Amino acid sequence: MDQQLIEKVMKQVSDELGIKPEASKPEASKPAAKGIGMTEFVGTAIGDTIGLVIASVDPMLADVMKLGKYRSVGIIGSRTGAGCQIWAVDEAVKATNTEIISVELPRDTKGGAGHGSLIYIGAEDVSDARRAVEIALQVLPKYFGDVYSNEAGHLEFQYTARASYCLEKALGAPVGKAFGMTCAGPAAIGTVLADIAVKAANVEVVGYSSPTSGTSYSNEVILTFTGDSGAVRQAVRAAIEAGKKMLGAMGEEPKSSETPYI
């Protein structure tokens, strides 16, 4: 793909996300970097999320980190809400000339029953890596919109009409197709939500994770699926309604700290 076409695609995605052109200027990250006096620091966001960048990884680390051809690396790390960060970075990759190196989901007790996240983003130029991290932090609150919690547990639901390379790397999503996720802790609720989702619409299961299979031994069941955009959205919405009822039976009404988007 030539540079002109890359720039055209990135502009189109940025317009879809509502990202203003001036946000891409290097100056956008300077105030945050000055805040702690480190050029590696990009910013922070919801979910105990931090965005960092390494302009040139030390050669002694590059191989053990499995960075491949890349030396400039953007880093997204969080304590809670791993799915949210994956979806946010997926948007960032669509809008920048970057590539996903790796996605890890560590068990993190701060997330209650769930995971944290560690995502490496590779770029030929450090400015591209920084820009990807900036976009991920900017759009992250959207993907916390359908995360609901109470004292008993949490629910997480995600949807995209067009999956990209971070979702493919982390969750096996078919690139360019609609993709959805249901997740709940305790895992018993997640099991029922998976069944409700696939019965609600004509979707194809991509992945199913339980406490001892596909998760970092977290108390969750996670279902991912693809299909027609309308069907995927319908399946997720059916799971949201049921999940809030079940988790609500264990405590207070589950609420989101952000605006739901699905």
Side-chain angles (χ1 to χ4, degrees), residues 53-103:
V53 66
I54 302 176
S56 181
V57 175
D58 190 285
M60 288 192 297
L61 291 177
D63 288 341
V64 295
M65 290 174 66
K66 300 178 181 179
L67 301 183
K69 65 179 181 179
Y70 296 110
R71 292 298 176 267
S72 295
V73 180
I75 305 167
I76 291 289
S78 71
R79 298 292 309 278
T80 61
C84 305
Q85 285 79 12
I86 292 171
W87 252 260
V89 173
D90 198 65
E91 297 290 0
V93 172
K94 292 176 188 176
T96 57
N97 187 23
T98 56
E99 183 177 325
I100 295 299
I101 296 173
S102 63
V103 180

Side-chain angles (χ1 to χ4, degrees), residues 133-221:
V133 172
E134 289 172 345
I135 292 174
L137 295 176
Q138 183 178 342
V139 303
L140 184 57
K142 169 186 174 180
Y143 293 108
F144 270 88
D146 283 286
V147 176
Y148 305 87
S149 62
N150 64 11
E151 68 274 27
H154 71 274
L155 310 164
E156 181 178 350
F157 307 95
Q158 303 293 352
Y159 163 81
T160 180
R162 183 169 63 90
S164 191
Y165 297 110
C166 188
L167 286 169
E168 179 192 39
K169 187 83 169 182
L171 301 172
V175 174
K177 293 188 177 182
F179 190 67
M181 182 183 84
T182 66
C183 171
I189 294 177
T191 303
V192 175
L193 292 186
D195 185 66
I196 288 173
V198 297
K199 287 178 177 175
N202 184 22
V203 294
E204 178 184 345
V205 172
V206 174
Y208 178 90
S209 299
S210 63
T212 60
S213 177
T215 71
S216 298
Y217 296 98
S218 62
N219 188 8
E220 298 173 296
V221 161

